[in-house]
Amino acid sequence: MAGFILRRLLSTIPTLLGVLTIVFVMIRVAPGDPALAILGDNASQEALDAFRERMGLNDPMWVQYLDFLRGIARGSLGESMISGTPVLTSILEVLPYTLELALGAVFFGVVIGTPLGIMAALKRNGWLDYLLRVVSLVGLSFPAFLTAILLILWLAIDWRLFPVISTPTGGIGDRLYNLFLPALSLGLIMVAYVMRTARSAMLDVLGEDYIRTARAKGAPMRRLFLHHALRNALIPIVTVIGLYFGLMIGNAVLTEIIFNRPGLGKLIVLALNQRDYSTLQGLMVFSAFLVVMVNLLTDIAYGLVDPRVKLK
Amino acid sequence: MTATVTTPPQRTPAQRLLRLARRNKLSTVGLILFGLIALAAIAAPLLSSHDPLAQNILHRLEDRSADYLLGTDVYGRDTWARILFGLRVSLLIGLISTALAMIIGSALGILAGYRGGWVDSLIMRIMDMLLAFPTLITGLFIVAVLGANFWNIVLAITVTILPKFARVARAPTIALKEREFVEAARALGYSDVRIMAVHIAPNVLGEVIVLASLWAAYAIRIEAYLSFIGLGIAPPTPTLGTMIREGFEHILDSPFVSIYPGFAVLLVVLSLNLIGDGLRDAIDPKLRD
């Protein structure tokens, strides 16, 4: 197992290096002079020169590239061009809020999606299966902002059950209360994916020989279901969560904007509005790293659950 | 011993189409829905009596009426007209970027699969790297860096979905290149380019098209997200995302200003997802049950 994890870990290095190079090149091919963009057209020549010198923009391209890589190796994503705060610090400051939101969404997605998917599989090709299929297609067509807006209108404004603006502060109770609506809104999109995966995984498992054997031996339905089928059907669900993580980070950004919640979303929008390229660069690198790491963890989890994977 | 030879009944193309539609209800519903939406977008000036850009401050944030089918926005512009014209932007950007991603991505995937070796490793490594970026954030980044205009948005969406096509086109190519007909083509001295374009590409097309309809749905959503965040085509051109963004500021008193364009996005995306989902069943019957 240790060998498998090490091999998978090493295989991420070229991907990560490539990711860094792509981000570096993209920022450099951007038209316009970052010094002018940030300091404005009225900035004096001295101010512009000083800014370029401070940001290392006068160095040859390869020196900038090496500096960039060296920074990353030391665990630094550079400093904001505007405020001078280290980008990693501002990311880590708001990351818990986004993770909290993503975890909440996964919770709703799994808790609502799994039973629905299993129900659809057990009633395969019946009216319920058909209905759930259409519902899941509608669900995964929902734009993230629309679920959020509808939930706000319905649960926060009409019913006054939840706050319109989600402020994740205070005690654990307050925090969960503020998290509920954004997490549900993000989770509803997840439900559709989980439901479809749960359905096909369940159908796969139910068709296996060992289920037939267990049934032939007279195992009660309940035991058969909980002990044999459900456990194995959960593996693909774990995978789908990993697969859609990248998608969810994007949707989380929109959800955060709508609920006016602190998190990566607000950080991104602020950096965009201020044309803070170094923060944007750090955010890109960070989110790509996050996706690569989640994929790695998914692979390892898969290897733990299904020993056959390691052999490949 | 007499063998009875049954010839399959001859069908006219129309009959065949009808048969396909009956077997594939979801796709048909999706196709009709998408057709209607596309027609409405094309015929936008005929279907709306108001100019989508005309402001009328006396009629701001009005409810639905015979004159304003879906009410008006904060500047008194007709929401119905703006949705129709906004759909044009969504469809154009969504379809052009998906088509570009499909053509370039499949070409790269076929090339990787056909050539193998270092060409394969190089192309697929780059695709893996692109896949590591969360799509929406990459889109945001590209548009933010290059500037928000039509072709930059197309570029951003193309780059984010291109690797998915490369992957899907590569796998069957590896199997196809060992087949006799490809070997025969090679024996006849056809060039690699010709073999890839004429002999392999058509056989990969099925899977690529299923993917295209699903990713077109995604592309249209990304465009809406970008303009919702403020990185869309610049106003006054109406886009669905911008309408939702502007309407959201008045969510308390007139929620419908942002809800109607939101549902427009939902309908387009749903129609494409229906098409893709049904097609996937038709091509891979294994997935049906």
Side-chain angles (χ1 to χ4, degrees):
Chain A
M1 196 64 216
F4 167 71
I5 294 177
L6 193 71
R7 251 200 335 270
R8 264 312 266 109
L9 208 61
L10 286 177
S11 76
T12 60
I13 292 177
T15 312
L16 290 178
L17 257 177
V19 163
L20 292 175
T21 313
I22 293 173
V23 173
F24 180 84
V25 171
M26 272 209 279
I27 283 281
R28 266 67 190 180
V29 299
D33 178 354
L36 265 181
I38 285 167
L39 299 179
D41 291 333
N42 299 326
S44 66
Q45 193 56 46
E46 293 81 57
L48 288 173
D49 287 340
F51 181 83
R52 291 200 188 102
E53 193 56 45
R54 185 160 62 85
M55 300 315 295
L57 295 171
N58 290 330
D59 299 333
M61 215 41 111
W62 64 271
V63 174
Q64 290 186 36
Y65 181 62
L66 285 182
D67 276 347
F68 171 62
L69 289 186
R70 214 173 291 141
I72 303 276
R74 275 189 280 112
S76 153
L77 291 176
E79 279 128 36
S80 158
M81 282 183 171
I82 306 287
S83 62
T85 22
V87 176
L88 193 62
T89 313
S90 8
I91 291 179
L92 291 180
E93 206 174 297
V94 295
L95 186 66
Y97 302 120
T98 301
L99 285 184
E100 185 180 278
L101 177 62
L103 281 177
V106 169
F107 171 80
F108 281 118
V110 172
V111 164
I112 305 174
T114 315
L116 287 180
I118 290 172
M119 255 157 44
L122 293 177
K123 306 270 179 220
R124 167 156 56 137
N125 293 334
W127 65 268
L128 184 69
D129 186 20
Y130 205 75
L131 180 76
L132 285 176
R133 181 172 173 188
V134 174
V135 168
S136 83
L137 268 175
V138 175
L140 53 90
S141 303
F142 250 91
F145 41 60
L146 191 58
T147 34
I149 291 174
L150 292 177
L151 282 176
I152 287 185
L153 282 175
W154 184 42
L155 293 177
I157 296 178
D158 280 359
W159 289 74
R160 302 194 173 274
L161 290 175
F162 296 98
V164 175
I165 291 175
S166 166
T167 34
T169 46
I172 181 88
D174 258 3
R175 248 183 120 131
L176 286 178
Y177 175 63
N178 273 291
L179 179 65
F180 189 90
L181 216 47
L184 180 65
S185 140
L186 189 56
L188 284 179
I189 299 166
M190 192 88 200
V191 166
Y193 290 109
V194 172
M195 189 159 101
R196 306 181 118 212
T197 314
R199 176 184 180 272
S200 68
M202 202 64 194
L203 286 179
D204 269 358
V205 172
L206 289 177
E208 293 277 352
D209 287 344
Y210 64 83
I211 294 288
R212 209 179 40 202
T213 311
R215 196 180 271 170
K217 284 166 75 180
M221 228 16 216
R222 221 182 114 82
R223 187 185 151 78
L224 187 85
F225 180 71
L226 289 177
H227 246 252
H228 299 275
L230 189 60
R231 254 179 71 181
N232 286 309
L234 283 178
I235 304 171
I237 297 177
V238 173
T239 320
V240 86
I241 294 169
L243 268 176
Y244 286 103
F245 188 78
L247 194 75
M248 201 155 64
I249 290 280
N251 284 340
V253 169
L254 292 163
T255 310
E256 282 169 358
I257 295 171
I258 291 188
F259 285 95
N260 205 3
R261 239 180 96 83
L264 290 181
K266 262 195 157 176
L267 196 61
I268 289 176
V269 171
L270 187 70
L272 283 175
N273 289 338
Q274 297 184 326
R275 316 207 121 264
D276 186 348
Y277 288 136
S278 52
T279 301
L280 278 179
Q281 170 179 292
L283 278 163
M284 273 295 274
V285 171
F286 187 81
S287 49
F289 265 55
L290 214 58
V291 171
V292 171
M293 285 307 136
V294 168
N295 286 344
L296 178 72
L297 287 178
T298 317
D299 265 15
I300 291 174
Y302 215 71
L304 284 174
V305 186
D306 187 347
R308 282 169 302 183
V309 174
K310 274 182 288 183
L311 300 174
K312 283 186 193 160
Chain B
M1 199 172 136
T2 49
T4 43
V5 180
T6 47
T7 47
Q10 292 294 313
R11 293 194 178 86
T12 63
Q15 276 174 322
R16 246 181 295 161
L17 207 68
L18 215 76
R19 205 174 120 87
L20 204 69
R22 233 193 339 259
R23 281 195 178 172
N24 221 321
K25 292 194 194 86
L26 283 185
S27 278
T28 312
V29 172
L31 206 60
I32 293 172
L33 188 59
F34 184 75
L36 287 176
I37 295 171
L39 269 180
I42 294 168
L46 302 176
L47 292 174
S48 55
S49 47
H50 292 275
D51 178 349
L53 303 181
Q55 304 188 3
N56 188 343
I57 224 72
L58 295 174
H59 292 280
R60 64 194 293 267
L61 297 175
E62 251 176 37
D63 214 348
R64 279 167 294 169
S65 64
D67 194 19
Y68 297 106
L69 278 178
L70 297 178
T72 58
D73 72 359
V74 68
Y75 300 109
R77 296 175 296 196
D78 181 30
T79 302
W80 168 247
R82 290 179 67 74
I83 287 181
L84 290 178
F85 280 90
L87 279 170
R88 290 179 157 191
V89 177
S90 296
L91 291 176
L92 267 181
I93 291 186
L95 298 183
I96 292 178
S97 50
T98 311
L100 284 176
M102 181 172 101
I103 294 167
I104 304 171
S106 330
L108 286 172
I110 291 174
L111 182 67
Y114 186 75
R115 278 286 167 82
W118 68 269
V119 178
D120 186 21
S121 312
L122 181 73
I123 292 177
M124 294 324 284
R125 270 268 171 245
I126 295 176
M127 294 301 131
D128 279 349
M129 287 163 200
L130 288 179
L131 279 175
F133 294 103
T135 36
L136 177 63
I137 296 179
T138 320
L140 280 175
F141 186 72
I142 297 177
V143 177
V145 165
L146 297 181
N149 63 45
F150 186 90
W151 287 107
N152 285 344
I153 296 172
V154 168
L155 174 77
I157 299 175
T158 305
V159 169
T160 56
I161 60 181
L162 184 147
K164 332 261 178 189
F165 286 97
R167 280 211 163 167
V168 166
R170 175 180 171 267
T173 304
I174 292 174
L176 282 168
K177 73 171 175 190
E178 308 294 339
R179 294 273 293 273
E180 289 86 351
F181 70 91
V182 174
E183 230 165 273
R186 222 176 287 147
L188 283 168
Y190 291 165
S191 70
D192 281 353
V193 174
R194 177 167 174 175
I195 295 175
M196 283 188 274
V198 180
H199 300 271
I200 292 182
N203 287 298
V204 178
L205 201 65
E207 279 158 74
V208 168
I209 288 202
V210 173
L211 199 71
S213 55
L214 295 172
W215 284 103
Y218 191 68
I220 285 173
R221 219 172 344 177
I222 293 271
E223 189 277 325
Y225 290 169
L226 286 175
S227 45
F228 177 75
I229 291 175
L231 289 174
I233 292 192
T237 308
T239 73
L240 299 174
T242 314
M243 292 174 72
I244 298 165
R245 167 196 167 89
E246 287 172 355
F248 189 63
E249 285 162 26
H250 305 275
I251 189 83
L252 287 174
D253 37 319
S254 12
F256 287 109
V257 180
S258 55
I259 286 187
Y260 288 136
F263 274 108
V265 178
L266 172 64
L267 276 182
V268 187
V269 173
L270 178 63
S271 70
L272 287 164
N273 275 337
L274 283 169
I275 297 174
D277 209 58
L279 280 180
R280 188 162 48 185
D281 275 4
I283 282 176
D284 190 355
K286 202 169 64 220
L287 291 170
R288 192 162 23 208
D289 34 36

